[in-house]
Amino acid sequence: MTHFAPALDVANAVLYEGYILYPYTASARKNRIRWQFGVIVPEAYAKSGTGEPAEAQTEILVECAAEAQIDVLVRFLQVEARNVEAWNGSVFQPVDSLVVDGRPHLTFDEGVEREVPVTLRLANAPNLSVPLAFGAEQNVELLHGPDETLLGRIVRRRWPLHGMIALECEHVSGRPLLRKLRVRIQNHSQVVAGERSSALRTSLVSTHTLLYVRGGRFLSALDPPPYAEGSAPLVNRHTWPVLVGNENEDAQRSALVLSSPIILYDFPAVAPQSEGDTFDATEVDELMMLSVLSLSDEERDEARATDPRARAIVERAERFGPEELGRLHGTLLQSKHAAQSDPFAALDLPGMDCVFVDGAKVAKGSQVRLHPKRRADAWDLFLDGKVATVRAIHQDVEDLMYVAVTVDDDPASDLHEWYGRSFLFYPDEVEPLPSGATGH
């Protein structure tokens, strides 16, 4: 279904949102509490009072003729258990990790991509229900040493999934060409006994839906045309439809829609300078790549063993040089001189020699303690109280002063300095420190 292609980059970002978060290691606390987005649990589990849904529903208006065709593609991740077992000479024993020929293998849950295509031909029938079914599966991979000695095995197991996808398309009163499309995804799978992590074995994870209409257009649920406002109330549960395509052609209609469990606006797009998935959907790729480069060798090895996609992220970061980082930053660095030049020159922020804070002179090379007051973003929470080194003083066209700093205990500070990346703070957000001071 090539007509879904323009939406796949964003859809894949949704699919893997929360799958493995930086630092991409199995031991990271955030990666022990996974599968938070678009989870449709088995109906029996939902009835136990967990508060998690057993179905998701999309409703959207579509303007089309009676012979129109609507293609639907439901996508989600199926949880697959990856268990590592060591061979002790007589039996296999479960272990958290096993190193074979210098390569670690970790016990961890993986995500397997699933897709269910459905086509609704309005001329045949306005309603259609199709089963969602994937059988149980188990695969065993033996692990041998360099001399072919059996050292262990990896057992991958999937549990059966069963559900239903129901499509309903009904006329909107008073509008001959206007219809309301409803897509319901239900999970009727058996519950695997245990905690939530066990129930996830038969859940649909990161569930989202792609819609394409032949011979018509979907109307924006956020900003519908005036004639459609209030014509038919829409009920969207655990997902929300947005238009995908060329906003310049029509900002209120499109033949392509993504219904996502992640909050999006119409016509979402992945930044063109992004060069691969990082499982964070709205992440700043440049910052992510610099962060990965700051990992220790041990952390990188663990990330490689955690998941093949995490391995790809680490290896992509390790290949990054000035040109790649410059592309992510939005400026292609043409030479070593350009890489070392003042990054604020292009912003027309004149450089200043110094600024005075509480009577103390703060200039390039000064040490300060950070006290963010304006909570510009989440980073301020982590930077509060940190000791930093001033890299430059700047003044904008409105005569506001800024102190550009790098954080002293940031493992990537050398990279930030080399690349010309700094944090900007107002003078009243920094506390001058005596020369040679250190902080914790």
Side-chain angles (χ1 to χ4, degrees):
M1 294 186 177
T2 56
H3 43 269
F4 288 131
L8 286 180
D9 283 345
V10 176
N12 286 335
V14 170
L15 186 66
Y16 287 102
E17 173 73 17
Y19 175 63
I20 302 178
L21 297 174
Y22 174 82
Y24 308 121
T25 54
S27 62
R29 181 174 298 178
K30 63 178 70 174
N31 290 325
R32 297 177 187 177
I33 306 175
R34 302 165 65 200
W35 325 110
Q36 300 296 317
F37 302 99
V39 178
I40 302 178
V41 300
E43 187 175 23
Y45 185 75
K47 290 180 178 178
S48 65
T50 64
E52 294 190 88
E55 75 167 29
Q57 175 174 292
T58 296
E59 286 192 346
I60 190 167
L61 296 178
V62 56
E63 203 169 39
C64 62
E67 63 274 12
Q69 172 180 311
I70 300 175
D71 293 327
V72 179
L73 185 63
V74 175
R75 307 174 81 231
F76 60 91
L77 292 177
Q78 179 180 8
V79 178
E80 176 181 79
R82 183 185 72 201
N83 296 305
V84 179
E85 300 176 351
W87 176 250
N88 66 4
S90 56
V91 296
F92 288 100
Q93 295 180 322
V95 294
D96 291 334
S97 64
L98 180 66
V99 178
V100 177
D101 195 19
R103 178 183 174 184
H105 299 271
L106 305 178
T107 292
F108 200 60
D109 282 349
E110 301 172 321
V112 179
E113 293 183 20
R114 295 300 198 188
E115 295 184 346
V116 183
V118 186
T119 296
L120 179 65
R121 294 178 174 86
L122 298 184
N124 295 342
N127 302 330
L128 178 65
S129 293
V130 298
L132 180 157
F134 293 92
E137 188 174 340
Q138 180 167 300
N139 297 301
V140 177
E141 176 186 353
L142 297 178
L143 301 175
H144 295 90
D147 57 356
E148 296 303 317
T149 301
L150 179 62
L151 299 179
R153 68 181 183 181
I154 300 174
V155 181
R156 291 180 170 87
R157 182 182 178 188
R158 303 173 199 166
W159 284 258
L161 297 179
H162 299 285
M164 186 69 67
I165 301 172
L167 308 181
E168 302 172 6
C169 197
E170 60 189 41
H171 281 282
V172 174
S173 177
R175 292 286 176 178
L177 297 181
L178 195 59
R179 292 170 170 81
K180 179 167 69 174
L181 175 68
R182 180 183 302 113
V183 180
R184 286 186 294 122
I185 305 168
Q186 300 173 321
N187 188 351
H188 302 152
S189 305
Q190 296 294 316
V191 179
V192 178
E195 301 295 329
R196 180 178 185 270
S197 58
S198 298
L200 288 172
R201 305 294 190 203
T202 51
S203 295
L204 317 181
V205 178
S206 296
T207 311
H208 60 278
T209 305
L210 295 174
L211 306 171
Y212 183 83
V213 58
R214 302 172 187 266
R217 290 290 187 272
F218 291 105
L219 307 187
S220 171
L222 292 168
D223 181 26
Y227 63 81
E229 290 183 357
S231 59
L234 302 178
V235 179
N236 287 280
R237 294 197 292 265
H238 315 297
T239 188
W240 182 260
V242 295
L243 305 181
V244 178
N246 188 346
E247 184 177 10
N248 294 326
E249 291 182 358
D250 191 332
Q252 296 176 309
R253 304 169 186 82
S254 177
L256 183 59
V257 161
L258 167 63
S259 188
S260 163
I262 308 283
I263 297 175
L264 299 172
Y265 292 95
D266 284 334
F267 304 103
V270 173
Q273 61 264 45
S274 297
E275 299 187 5
D277 297 326
T278 49
F279 309 135
D280 277 317
T282 57
E283 76 285 347
V284 178
D285 282 4
E286 174 193 9
L287 180 59
M288 280 293 177
M289 291 299 100
L290 291 172
S291 298
V292 172
L293 289 174
S294 72
L295 294 175
S296 66
D297 291 341
E298 292 77 12
E299 288 174 318
R300 292 191 203 179
D301 287 342
E302 183 185 354
R304 289 186 177 94
T306 296
D307 184 90
R309 298 175 185 88
R311 181 186 186 93
I313 291 173
V314 172
E315 293 179 349
R316 187 168 72 248
E318 291 175 336
R319 293 193 299 267
F320 266 37
E323 182 174 317
E324 289 80 8
L325 288 173
R327 187 177 298 113
L328 287 184
H329 191 62
T331 304
L332 182 62
L333 303 181
Q334 300 292 344
S335 64
K336 180 178 179 181
H337 173 74
Q340 295 177 341
S341 64
D342 183 357
F344 297 94
L347 302 179
D348 194 26
L349 299 180
M352 306 292 291
D353 291 334
C354 67
V355 65
F356 286 88
V357 179
D358 295 332
K361 180 180 178 180
V362 175
K364 182 177 180 180
S366 298
Q367 283 194 307
V368 297
R369 191 180 302 277
L370 304 177
H371 298 293
K373 297 180 179 179
R374 291 160 179 83
R375 294 292 184 261
D377 55 39
W379 272 106
D380 286 353
L381 299 175
F382 300 102
L383 296 177
D384 190 20
K386 293 287 187 180
V387 172
T389 298
V390 176
R391 301 301 176 188
I393 305 296
H394 294 280
Q395 183 178 16
D396 67 14
V397 294
E398 296 179 349
D399 294 328
L400 293 175
M401 305 296 292
Y402 301 91
V403 180
V405 305
T406 55
V407 179
D408 288 2
D409 65 358
D410 183 353
S413 61
D414 290 342
L415 285 170
H416 291 315
E417 182 180 5
W418 163 80
Y419 183 56
R421 181 184 178 91
S422 303
F423 293 103
L424 292 178
F425 292 94
Y426 290 101
D428 65 351
E429 295 181 302
V430 302
E431 171 192 352
L433 295 178
S435 178
T438 59
H440 303 283

